[in-house]
Amino acid sequence: MDIFKVVSYVGYLHCDSAVKVAFPVVQIAFIIVHPLASFFHLFFRTSAILVYLLCDILSSRFVVCMVIIILLLSCDFWTVKNVSGRLLVGLRWWNQVDVDGKSHWVFESKKVNSKNTTPSAESRVFWLGLIVCPIFWILFVLSTIFSFNIKWLVVVVMGLVLQWANLYGYIRCKLGGKSNLRNIAKNYLGVQIFKQVCERLSELFVFCSFSEYLR
């Protein structure tokens, strides 16, 4: 009987120590240090997708839905690029112009041995929202093209371009931002295409707004 008590006590101590060791790991896996940044990281991009899918229910006017979606996409681009990427995963990218007037793309990542490591839950939230949402816009572009719904092509292309830009930038940050001359040429070509797309989208937006106003 005494031996049974001793074995039970030793087993209790072993289980208790295992729980003490395992509980912090589970706590770290699910803790979110920046809940506000995590919320808005998903809010703007999911709201833009929902407004696009429910535009016929929310409003019968195309211009109203178009403006709302573009505003949500713009807020999402700024939030992900300047706030959530830096806080949730310790990554950031931007463009800077040197003294000679040359444009340079900078991709930075926090050091691995830094004390302020980002929780795995925040990292999952960031990369999940960053990767999944552009897939929706790819499907929207394909469905718009195949259904010949040309008026929505402006919106879906803008959504794809803005969210793909953040995805590409943060992947470059994750991989270390190493580039050669070929990558620099691709970046320059991508920037030029992005500028041309924005110009065409703005012109088409003005045309659609004017035609809607004439109705």
Short mmCIF file of all heavy atoms in Angstrom, two decimals, residues 14-28:
data_model
loop_
_atom_site.label_atom_id
_atom_site.label_comp_id
_atom_site.label_asym_id
_atom_site.label_seq_id
_atom_site.Cartn_x
_atom_site.Cartn_y
_atom_site.Cartn_z
N HIS A 14 5.54 13.81 -11.97
CA HIS A 14 5.97 13.75 -13.36
C HIS A 14 4.94 14.41 -14.28
O HIS A 14 5.28 15.18 -15.17
CB HIS A 14 6.17 12.28 -13.75
CG HIS A 14 6.59 12.11 -15.19
ND1 HIS A 14 7.85 12.46 -15.65
CD2 HIS A 14 5.90 11.64 -16.26
CE1 HIS A 14 7.92 12.21 -16.93
NE2 HIS A 14 6.75 11.72 -17.33
N CYS A 15 3.67 14.10 -14.06
CA CYS A 15 2.60 14.70 -14.87
C CYS A 15 2.52 16.20 -14.64
O CYS A 15 2.32 16.99 -15.57
CB CYS A 15 1.26 14.05 -14.56
SG CYS A 15 1.18 12.31 -15.04
N ASP A 16 2.70 16.62 -13.39
CA ASP A 16 2.63 18.04 -13.07
C ASP A 16 3.76 18.81 -13.74
O ASP A 16 3.55 19.90 -14.28
CB ASP A 16 2.68 18.23 -11.56
CG ASP A 16 2.50 19.69 -11.17
OD1 ASP A 16 1.41 20.23 -11.45
OD2 ASP A 16 3.44 20.28 -10.61
N SER A 17 4.96 18.23 -13.74
CA SER A 17 6.08 18.91 -14.40
C SER A 17 5.89 18.95 -15.90
O SER A 17 6.25 19.92 -16.57
CB SER A 17 7.39 18.19 -14.06
OG SER A 17 7.35 16.84 -14.53
N ALA A 18 5.30 17.88 -16.46
CA ALA A 18 5.04 17.86 -17.90
C ALA A 18 4.03 18.93 -18.29
O ALA A 18 4.17 19.61 -19.31
CB ALA A 18 4.53 16.48 -18.33
N VAL A 19 3.01 19.12 -17.45
CA VAL A 19 2.02 20.16 -17.72
C VAL A 19 2.65 21.54 -17.62
O VAL A 19 2.38 22.43 -18.43
CB VAL A 19 0.83 20.03 -16.74
CG1 VAL A 19 -0.09 21.24 -16.85
CG2 VAL A 19 0.06 18.76 -17.01
N LYS A 20 3.52 21.73 -16.64
CA LYS A 20 4.18 23.01 -16.48
C LYS A 20 5.08 23.33 -17.67
O LYS A 20 5.25 24.48 -18.04
CB LYS A 20 4.99 23.04 -15.19
CG LYS A 20 4.15 23.09 -13.94
CD LYS A 20 5.01 23.14 -12.69
CE LYS A 20 4.15 23.22 -11.43
NZ LYS A 20 5.00 23.23 -10.21
N VAL A 21 5.67 22.29 -18.25
CA VAL A 21 6.52 22.50 -19.41
C VAL A 21 5.68 22.73 -20.67
O VAL A 21 5.98 23.56 -21.51
CB VAL A 21 7.47 21.30 -19.61
CG1 VAL A 21 8.23 21.43 -20.92
CG2 VAL A 21 8.44 21.23 -18.44
N ALA A 22 4.59 21.97 -20.81
CA ALA A 22 3.78 22.04 -22.03
C ALA A 22 2.90 23.27 -22.06
O ALA A 22 2.64 23.82 -23.13
CB ALA A 22 2.91 20.78 -22.15
N PHE A 23 2.41 23.73 -20.91
CA PHE A 23 1.47 24.84 -20.89
C PHE A 23 2.06 26.13 -21.47
O PHE A 23 1.38 26.80 -22.25
CB PHE A 23 0.97 25.09 -19.47
CG PHE A 23 -0.04 26.19 -19.38
CD1 PHE A 23 -1.33 26.02 -19.88
CD2 PHE A 23 0.30 27.42 -18.84
CE1 PHE A 23 -2.26 27.03 -19.80
CE2 PHE A 23 -0.61 28.44 -18.77
CZ PHE A 23 -1.90 28.24 -19.25
N PRO A 24 3.30 26.53 -21.15
CA PRO A 24 3.83 27.74 -21.78
C PRO A 24 3.95 27.63 -23.28
O PRO A 24 3.77 28.60 -24.01
CB PRO A 24 5.21 27.90 -21.12
CG PRO A 24 5.11 27.17 -19.85
CD PRO A 24 4.20 26.01 -20.13
N VAL A 25 4.25 26.40 -23.79
CA VAL A 25 4.35 26.22 -25.23
C VAL A 25 3.01 26.44 -25.89
O VAL A 25 2.89 27.12 -26.91
CB VAL A 25 4.88 24.80 -25.54
CG1 VAL A 25 4.91 24.57 -27.05
CG2 VAL A 25 6.27 24.62 -24.93
N VAL A 26 1.94 25.88 -25.30
CA VAL A 26 0.59 26.09 -25.84
C VAL A 26 0.19 27.55 -25.72
O VAL A 26 -0.44 28.12 -26.63
CB VAL A 26 -0.41 25.18 -25.09
CG1 VAL A 26 -1.83 25.45 -25.56
CG2 VAL A 26 -0.05 23.72 -25.29
N GLN A 27 0.58 28.19 -24.62
CA GLN A 27 0.22 29.59 -24.42
C GLN A 27 0.90 30.48 -25.45
O GLN A 27 0.29 31.40 -25.99
CB GLN A 27 0.62 30.02 -23.01
CG GLN A 27 0.12 31.40 -22.62
CD GLN A 27 0.48 31.76 -21.21
OE1 GLN A 27 1.34 31.13 -20.60
NE2 GLN A 27 -0.16 32.77 -20.69
N ILE A 28 2.17 30.19 -25.74
CA ILE A 28 2.90 30.97 -26.73
C ILE A 28 2.30 30.76 -28.12
O ILE A 28 2.23 31.68 -28.93
CB ILE A 28 4.39 30.59 -26.71
CG1 ILE A 28 5.02 31.06 -25.41
CG2 ILE A 28 5.12 31.21 -27.89
CD1 ILE A 28 6.45 30.60 -25.22
#
